[in-house]
Amino acid sequence: MRALDRLPVRARGPVHRSLRALALLLLLAAVVDLLSNLVPRQASLRDLLDDVRAGRTSVVHVFYTAPDAVGVRWTTGFAGDKELTHRFETLPGGEGGEAAFEALVRKELAGKGGGGVPVAFDREDPLERLGGLSALVPVLYWRFISTAWLAWAVLVAGATVLVDIVVRARLRAPSAGHWLTACLVFGAGFPAYLWSEPAALWRPTADGRIGGGGVVGRTALWAAGVVALAVTMAATR
């Protein structure tokens, strides 16, 4: 890393910028998948049955929401998170609403010749862990990226960025601490860093210094972009 820092900008520019752009696209894809999990598309029981029959999902989360209702969540892949609330006409007895809903789904599948369709149920809300102090630290939200390979790729990319911040000999920001705080507390510091260090991604020769306010401003802009995307997805689902 330090040896790379001593190279002229033009010598490391194209490859270095390409890797930064690739990491940035990876983070943006992860944000889309994460927001899909946080604001899933509203669906119906028929949508669930169709997805199971077509093999688009194999695990269904069923969890208690009320004495006469259960929440249901599943995913069909990247940014394909869906949810529904199923209400029973009468209070389910026996083992409760979760078991009653599972029996209903299996009955519907068998009735359509889909008795052999593989589907598994669990009784956990995928977002149950999102609460308490962890809800105030956006960087911890990576745990809710539904696509497993993407979650691990983001973890590797994030760790690489943190190492780069610490070992880089020359930063545009006043200190590594500014970027570490922006990344580890707010999360949006990761794309802001990739966009800004060691030179502006869109202007590779413009590598002038930026103050602490510049780090804050860049982090805030990326955070605002994520909020705007979340609002858009919530309104269109």
Side-chain angles (χ1 to χ4, degrees), residues 29-227:
V31 167
V32 172
D33 196 61
L34 169 63
L35 291 177
S36 174
N37 194 356
L38 297 180
V39 286
R41 184 171 73 83
Q42 299 300 305
S44 65
L45 178 59
R46 180 172 295 278
D47 292 326
L48 172 60
L49 295 173
D50 288 345
D51 285 339
V52 172
R53 291 190 187 107
R56 289 187 290 267
T57 189
S58 59
V59 178
V60 180
H61 307 281
V62 186
F63 47 92
Y64 175 91
T65 58
D68 64 340
V70 292
V72 185
R73 292 175 61 98
W74 70 98
T75 181
T76 58
F78 175 75
D81 299 272
K82 302 178 183 180
E83 73 171 0
L84 67 88
T85 298
H86 180 80
R87 294 193 174 278
F88 299 95
E89 294 182 359
T90 59
L91 289 177
E95 297 181 6
E98 296 95 324
F101 181 81
E102 292 172 17
L104 171 63
V105 171
R106 295 190 189 279
K107 179 180 178 181
E108 289 290 330
L109 291 173
K112 296 292 184 178
V117 176
V119 59
F121 296 91
D122 68 37
R123 307 289 178 85
E124 296 182 1
D125 180 353
L127 297 182
E128 189 177 30
R129 293 174 296 156
L130 182 61
L133 294 178
S134 67
L136 304 178
V137 186
V139 72
L140 296 179
Y141 285 21
W142 74 268
R143 298 174 298 162
F144 303 102
I145 298 173
S146 299
T147 308
W149 70 264
L150 185 58
W152 284 107
V154 167
L155 187 62
V156 171
T160 302
V161 167
L162 294 177
V163 170
D164 193 60
I165 292 172
V166 172
V167 305
R168 183 170 291 281
R170 182 174 61 89
L171 288 169
R172 298 174 70 200
S175 70
H178 287 79
W179 284 123
L180 290 175
T181 301
C183 291
L184 295 175
V185 177
F186 302 105
F190 286 102
Y193 178 83
L194 291 168
W195 190 256
S196 305
E197 297 282 4
L201 188 61
W202 71 103
R203 295 175 61 194
T205 59
D207 56 351
R209 301 280 292 177
I210 58 175
V215 174
V216 173
R218 286 164 169 77
T219 302
L221 283 174
W222 280 98
V226 171
V227 171

